[in-house]
Amino acid sequence: MDNIENLSARFQERIDAGEKIEPKDWMPEKYRKTHIRQISQHAHSEIVGMLPEGNWITRAPSLKRKLGLLAKVQDEAGHGLYLYSAAETLGISRDEMTQQLLTGKAKYSSIFNYPTLTWADIGAIGWLVDGAAIINQVMLTRTSFGPYARAMVRICKEESFHQRQGYEIMLTLCNGTPEQKEMAQDALNRTWWPSLMMFGPRDEDSPNTKQSMAWKIKRKTNDELRQQFVDITVPQAEFLGLKMPDPEIKWNEERGHYDFGAIDWDEFWQVVKGNGPCNKERIAARQKAWDDGQWVRDAALAYSEKRSNCGERSEGIKVQRSKGKIA
Amino acid sequence: MNEQLTKYLMMLGDNAMILGHRLSELCGHGPSLETDIALTNISLDLYGQVRSYFQYAAELGGEEVSEDTIAFLRKERTYLNVVLVEQPNEDFGHVIVRQFLYDMFQSFMTPALMNSADERIAAIAAKSIKETRYHLRFSTSWMKRLGAGTEESKARIQAAVNHLLPFADEFFVMTAIEKEMYEEGIGPDLQTFKEDFYSKVKEVLIEAELSMPESAPRVVKGKTGIHSEHMGYILNELQYMQRTYPQMEW
Ligand SMILES: [Fe+2]
Ligand SMILES: [Fe+2]
Ligand SMILES: [Fe+2]
């Protein structure tokens, strides 16, 4: 029987060789815990992220936009499902993860603690928030944990669709009336800085980065990813004819990147700590959905137990999701 | 004739739109991710049907009429949906019963419309028949699950049945528009499936261990544009952007 050190060394060798780690493989406890934390956090972000966008479904300005937004928010629910399932392979249940979200033990992306105030916010979220998410997630398609990497491959395709849809909303607004363009500019102004914060603290304030890189959970640092996002987004804003809400944004020939201004890290940490504009409301909404749904989940469980006791095939509460339809 | 046909298309589309609107309010707030996804799917299907009907109606109208002006810029009295679909999402039981009654009605209406003398309507109905059947399967399975689940779920779903079933009678009242459409061979005689509708509903209720309420039908006239007090608030949200920013592209 190998001792822990040998197992750890071999585990690291496998990762270095680019092998995928599967749920049944031996893994260091910290690797497991880190993944549960990260994947569930990601799942929670998908689910809480449904709220700010859901806020505009009933008020979408056209039938086409309403369908687009409904489908997008539904996709996010699907992403949440895949991710919860990926985390479940590591020995935690979806209900436990939900409780961690509701009690504040588990975090979710802070961007969703900002309010959606106009229709243009729906465009800005698709363009910037899904855009930032893609940069992170493309990296994660090559992460060492197999179920997470595979979930990311599926999810990334849909996220790029969301990003294009959001950009197209912005483009339509920018080609519209002055009032519409102003709405688009205001949404960019409010969404820009929180989007940059999505990549997390500066590298020097991110103590976990080194271990995450060694385990190939991360392949680029927060600051590298943030720079990549700025470099992609600035020309897109120019194409829209919008002004970046940061006077320090300037192409740096020498670096081959855009320079940009300082992020308000006080605000970042305040929102992380729960003091953002909508933190309380987001959790309250999830708590209400959970409480109001309790009798429904109880009934479904009781029903399927009764049915299986009768020897009948249980239909179960879980429904499989496939290409926009459920069976 | 075109004017009556347009109104008929609005009636068909308004039912789907207002129910789709109610379902879309739930997106992100349901009892589980699975039900959220399923109800959003139904809402998406309904809005797909809305677009088909309103695009057709827009073609019959003038230059300035579009699917969006029909959806968003009418006065309340010209929306022609039944009052049932306006009823709020009191709880998941009400959502399921409202859906079940609508789906059951559609399971008669859609096949009838597939035989419409109007080819466009027949085609739209043919396209939606699979969706209709799937929706009915979904809502029926939840009727049973909640009816035969726990004491609480049984009490809640029975209360929802008692509250909502009396609204179903409006489906079968022939308005002037529907009578004319029947004479033109465009729409069915609704009375012909009234009896079957109620016996199928009863069948499901029995299987779900629920009882059929005895209460008399409600006197409601949504199909003539006389709605419940809920409707104004629905339209407030639905029309918000189009009213605040008139004549813009989105
Ligand atoms: Fe997502
Ligand atoms: Fe995501
Ligand atoms: Fe997305």
Side-chain angles (χ1 to χ4, degrees), chain A residues 111 114-132 163 166-167 169-171 173-174 179-198 229-230 232-247 249 267:
Chain A
I111 188 83
Y114 289 84
T116 49
L117 303 177
T118 69
W119 170 250
D121 289 18
I122 299 307
I125 287 179
W127 171 34
L128 300 171
V129 176
D130 287 83
Q163 200 264 349
Y167 191 70
I169 290 175
M170 294 301 271
L171 195 59
L173 294 173
C174 291
E179 222 176 344
Q180 284 175 300
K181 188 154 187 188
E182 194 186 308
M183 194 192 281
Q185 181 68 59
D186 175 57
L188 171 60
N189 295 351
R190 284 180 288 108
T191 315
W192 174 247
W193 291 105
S195 312
L196 289 185
M197 295 175 195
M198 281 176 72
F229 176 67
V230 173
I232 290 173
T233 309
V234 173
Q236 292 174 340
E238 258 163 38
F239 184 79
L240 291 173
L242 295 177
K243 207 167 154 281
M244 294 303 291
D246 174 0
I249 284 188
E267 176 174 321

Side-chain angles (χ1 to χ4, degrees), chain A residues 182-230:
Chain A
E182 194 186 308
M183 194 192 281
Q185 181 68 59
D186 175 57
L188 171 60
N189 295 351
R190 284 180 288 108
T191 315
W192 174 247
W193 291 105
S195 312
L196 289 185
M197 295 175 195
M198 281 176 72
F199 297 95
R202 279 174 302 209
D203 291 348
E204 61 261 41
D205 302 324
S206 179
N208 295 327
T209 296
K210 208 170 151 229
Q211 179 61 274
S212 295
M213 300 277 269
W215 280 339
K216 292 189 182 165
I217 301 173
K218 280 180 96 89
R219 287 167 180 264
K220 288 178 184 164
T221 69
N222 293 354
D223 286 333
E224 285 169 346
L225 293 166
R226 189 160 20 239
Q227 182 69 60
Q228 196 183 332
F229 176 67
V230 173

Side-chain angles (χ1 to χ4, degrees), chain B:
Chain B
M1 172 34 209
N2 257 4
E3 200 183 313
Q4 291 298 81
L5 177 58
T6 300
K7 281 186 184 162
Y8 193 57
L9 292 169
M10 286 175 182
M11 191 180 272
L12 296 170
D14 289 343
N15 277 327
M17 180 165 72
I18 302 304
L19 184 58
H21 178 94
R22 280 298 192 208
L23 293 173
S24 78
E25 292 174 345
L26 289 165
C27 188
H29 304 277
S32 71
L33 280 176
E34 286 83 355
T35 52
D36 257 18
I37 289 170
L39 290 177
T40 307
N41 244 327
I42 295 174
S43 179
L44 281 165
D45 288 342
L46 292 173
Y47 269 108
Q49 295 167 20
V50 172
R51 293 193 74 186
S52 301
Y53 284 124
F54 288 178
Q55 281 166 5
Y56 182 20
E59 286 168 32
L60 300 175
E63 272 284 290
E64 67 293 342
V65 184
S66 72
E67 57 170 348
D68 288 328
T69 62
I70 296 174
F72 300 109
L73 289 175
R74 279 180 287 151
K75 299 283 190 293
E76 177 173 330
R77 289 281 277 106
T78 65
Y79 284 84
L80 302 176
N81 55 280
V82 294
V83 167
L84 172 73
V85 295
E86 298 161 19
Q87 297 309 302
N89 304 323
E90 301 274 354
D91 68 1
F92 191 73
H94 283 71
V95 172
I96 290 301
V97 173
R98 186 183 62 203
Q99 192 63 41
F100 168 67
L101 294 173
Y102 179 81
D103 295 339
M104 186 59 91
F105 174 71
Q106 286 304 326
S107 76
F108 294 98
M109 188 66 178
T110 309
L113 289 177
M114 285 168 70
N115 293 319
S116 173
D118 185 294
E119 283 176 19
R120 276 288 281 280
I121 291 182
I124 296 169
K127 218 179 122 218
S128 63
I129 185 74
K130 262 195 186 157
E131 295 167 355
T132 300
R133 288 199 189 113
Y134 159 72
H135 298 171
L136 181 62
R137 258 207 326 272
F138 174 83
S139 55
T140 302
S141 78
W142 273 101
M143 290 294 293
K144 294 182 197 164
R145 216 170 267 144
L146 297 178
T150 63
E151 295 253 314
E152 183 181 4
S153 71
K154 186 189 180 73
R156 280 175 178 268
I157 191 99
Q158 184 70 60
V161 169
N162 296 351
H163 177 60
L164 293 171
L165 189 64
F167 287 101
D169 203 65
E170 191 190 353
F171 281 132
F172 307 101
V173 177
M174 293 284 274
T175 58
I177 299 164
E178 287 164 314
K179 278 181 194 152
E180 192 178 327
M181 290 300 112
Y182 171 61
E183 271 148 31
E184 303 282 345
I186 293 174
D189 175 358
L190 300 165
Q191 289 292 324
T192 56
F193 38 78
K194 182 173 178 175
E195 214 175 291
D196 287 342
F197 169 89
Y198 281 109
S199 69
K200 287 267 189 194
V201 166
K202 197 169 181 180
E203 240 172 66
V204 173
L205 289 181
I206 289 168
E207 235 197 295
E209 302 169 26
L210 296 168
S211 58
M212 190 89 171
E214 300 280 311
S215 37
R218 289 264 197 144
V219 180
V220 281
K221 296 176 179 169
K223 292 198 286 189
T224 64
I226 302 173
H227 295 281
S228 67
E229 290 178 349
H230 301 298
M231 189 65 173
Y233 296 93
I234 292 176
L235 294 182
N236 240 349
E237 283 192 39
L238 194 72
Q239 300 186 337
Y240 167 67
M241 288 296 289
Q242 291 272 343
R243 295 266 180 229
T244 313
Y245 305 94
Q247 295 184 321
M248 297 182 198
E249 294 290 322
W250 299 98

Side-chain angles (χ1 to χ4, degrees), chain A residues 58 65 94 286 306 324 326, chain B residues 28 34 41 134 148 237 250:
Chain A
T58 57
R65 292 298 181 203
R94 204 206 297 181
R286 290 313 307 159
K306 271 185 212 167
I326 63 145
Chain B
E34 286 83 355
N41 244 327
Y134 159 72
E237 283 192 39
W250 299 98

